[in-house]
Amino acid sequence: MPYQIEEKFVVAVASSALFDLSESDQIFLERGEEEYRKYQRENESKTLKTGVAYPLVRRLLGLNGNTMDDQPVEVVLLSRNDPDTGLRVFNSIEHYKLPISRAAFVKGSNPFLYMEAFNASLFLSANHEDVLQAVQRGLPAGQVFPTEFIDNDEEEELRIAFDFDGILADDSAEVVYQTGAIELFHKHEKQKAEEPLPPGPLMKFLKGVSTLQKIELDKKQSIKNYKPRIRIGIVTARNAPAHERVISTLRNWGIQVDEAFFLGGINKERVLKVFKPHIFFDDQLGHIEGVAKITPSVHVPFGVANK
């Protein structure tokens, strides 16, 4: 019987998101493919350092149980390497005891083309062009940025933070905001407070995370002293009265979040330092550049903010 991948919550990661490939990438750029291939073979038993998406991936996979009926999460590797140069990546996956067994090695082609084949709700990569092309095709993808974040390996809780407009919702409200007339934006959002916004690029990913969160909450009801392992936060530049439309949109989607911050221009770094997400998504590059050092961050190049 074929493996029912469509029944899983699937996240696709490039090698460059899961591990730190800066050294080998530099060799490829400076010396070419053959030297890169030689380098990877010579170092295939040398474990790669963890990358930006590692804290997210480790905790997502940690939500799976010990039986086949209790494994809702799947992580697949979509790589620009070929199987030969990609062996080092799989050796590193084995070293860190990550239960990742499925992969596509496409030797320089666009790995995101296989997202739908693997039922992936998100593709993470450090390759800007891959991410940009994926988003332009309507696929949910984000570029990870280098970080100085130090993960606590003993911590099981997974905290995910999202910007709202251009990430969870589309950019239709953002288009109004970009006119520069904040009073017009607030008036517009107040008038449409009860009208849900259309879904944005990471809506499928959010729904998947929300489903996992509900599973965790059900366990809390049935298992004494069980502590749910997922917290969802929204960190948005919106403030009152534009906050109401965020809440009505989430209600319409049947999504509950644990924390929401309506900052009205306050630097997002101030609350992210406290919330300490293991991944943060934003559509505005300026926001990502400001917080990437302190928390694993992903730029989603979607909508009017990126034109």
Side-chain angles (χ1 to χ4, degrees), residues 185-194 241-244:
F185 171 73
H186 281 153
K187 181 180 179 181
H188 176 270
E189 291 303 282
K190 186 66 175 176
Q191 290 174 343
K192 294 181 175 291
E194 297 300 320
H243 71 294
E244 191 174 351

Side-chain angles (χ1 to χ4, degrees), residues 155-183:
E155 185 180 42
E156 292 185 348
E157 184 178 67
L158 169 60
R159 295 180 295 276
I160 305 178
F162 301 91
D163 182 27
F164 188 72
D165 296 283
I167 294 293
L168 303 182
D170 75 354
D171 66 337
S172 54
E174 184 75 23
V175 170
V176 178
Y177 181 81
Q178 291 290 337
T179 64
I182 190 65
E183 295 84 2

Side-chain angles (χ1 to χ4, degrees), residues 81-148:
N81 284 294
D82 60 23
D84 182 44
T85 57
L87 181 59
R88 186 183 181 190
V89 176
F90 255 126
N91 287 343
S92 296
I93 287 173
E94 184 178 358
H95 170 84
Y96 290 109
K97 296 181 172 58
L98 296 175
I100 299 173
S101 61
R102 292 173 174 82
F105 293 100
V106 296
K107 195 180 180 181
S109 297
N110 296 327
F112 61 82
L113 295 175
Y114 293 91
M115 283 184 66
E116 293 182 348
F118 284 95
N119 189 40
S121 62
L122 177 67
F123 172 61
L124 296 176
S125 173
N127 188 303
H128 172 71
E129 286 303 318
D130 277 353
V131 169
L132 185 61
Q133 289 182 45
V135 172
Q136 289 173 346
R137 289 171 177 255
L139 298 171
Q143 179 186 359
V144 299
F145 273 65
T147 183
E148 297 174 5

Side-chain angles (χ1 to χ4, degrees), residues 50-303:
T50 57
V52 179
Y54 181 86
L56 168 70
V57 168
R58 182 178 72 81
R59 286 171 174 80
L60 280 175
L61 291 170
L63 295 170
N64 285 336
N66 297 321
T67 66
M68 292 299 294
D69 294 332
D70 188 23
Q71 296 188 0
V73 178
E74 180 93 23
V75 174
V76 298
L77 183 71
L78 300 185
S79 175
R80 276 184 165 271
N81 284 294
D82 60 23
D84 182 44
T85 57
L87 181 59
R88 186 183 181 190
V89 176
F90 255 126
N91 287 343
S92 296
I93 287 173
E94 184 178 358
H95 170 84
Y96 290 109
K97 296 181 172 58
L98 296 175
I100 299 173
S101 61
R102 292 173 174 82
F105 293 100
V106 296
K107 195 180 180 181
S109 297
N110 296 327
F112 61 82
L113 295 175
Y114 293 91
M115 283 184 66
E116 293 182 348
F118 284 95
N119 189 40
S121 62
L122 177 67
F123 172 61
L124 296 176
S125 173
N127 188 303
H128 172 71
E129 286 303 318
D130 277 353
V131 169
L132 185 61
Q133 289 182 45
V135 172
Q136 289 173 346
R137 289 171 177 255
L139 298 171
Q143 179 186 359
V144 299
F145 273 65
T147 183
E148 297 174 5
F149 174 81
I150 299 175
D151 196 12
N152 180 358
D153 291 338
E154 296 180 359
E155 185 180 42
E156 292 185 348
E157 184 178 67
L158 169 60
R159 295 180 295 276
I160 305 178
F162 301 91
D163 182 27
F164 188 72
D165 296 283
I167 294 293
L168 303 182
D170 75 354
D171 66 337
S172 54
E174 184 75 23
V175 170
V176 178
Y177 181 81
Q178 291 290 337
T179 64
I182 190 65
E183 295 84 2
L184 176 63
F185 171 73
H186 281 153
K187 181 180 179 181
H188 176 270
E189 291 303 282
K190 186 66 175 176
Q191 290 174 343
K192 294 181 175 291
E194 297 300 320
E195 181 181 322
L197 281 156
L202 296 198
M203 177 56 178
K204 182 179 179 181
F205 177 72
L206 173 65
K207 280 194 170 182
V209 172
S210 179
T211 298
L212 295 175
Q213 185 186 47
K214 291 173 183 175
I215 293 172
E216 288 292 293
L217 292 173
D218 288 343
K219 288 182 179 180
K220 181 182 179 182
Q221 296 297 320
S222 60
I223 302 174
K224 185 178 180 180
N225 297 326
Y226 186 83
K227 184 178 179 181
R229 293 172 290 175
I230 297 179
R231 289 189 70 80
I232 302 172
I234 290 179
V235 184
T236 174
R238 286 174 177 254
N239 60 334
H243 71 294
E244 191 174 351
R245 197 175 188 195
V246 173
I247 296 169
S248 62
T249 299
L250 292 172
R251 284 178 176 173
N252 178 266
W253 293 343
I255 302 289
Q256 290 188 7
V257 300
D258 298 289
E259 303 186 30
F261 305 94
F262 301 98
L263 298 181
I266 295 174
N267 193 327
K268 294 184 177 183
E269 180 179 347
R270 298 178 72 91
V271 297
L272 290 173
K273 279 182 177 179
V274 182
F275 185 66
K276 295 181 181 179
H278 298 102
I279 204 81
F280 168 61
F281 298 92
D282 203 302
D283 65 318
Q284 296 197 38
L285 190 58
H287 293 163
I288 293 296
E289 291 172 339
V291 303
K293 281 190 176 182
I294 66 165
T295 192
S297 300
V298 178
H299 176 231
V300 180
F302 171 84

Side-chain angles (χ1 to χ4, degrees), residues 21-39:
L21 299 182
S22 54
E23 185 175 314
S24 53
D25 285 349
Q26 195 67 26
I27 289 173
F28 181 86
L29 291 172
E30 293 179 355
R31 304 184 197 174
E33 182 178 341
E34 286 308 310
E35 285 298 315
Y36 169 77
R37 183 179 301 279
K38 179 182 177 182
Y39 173 83

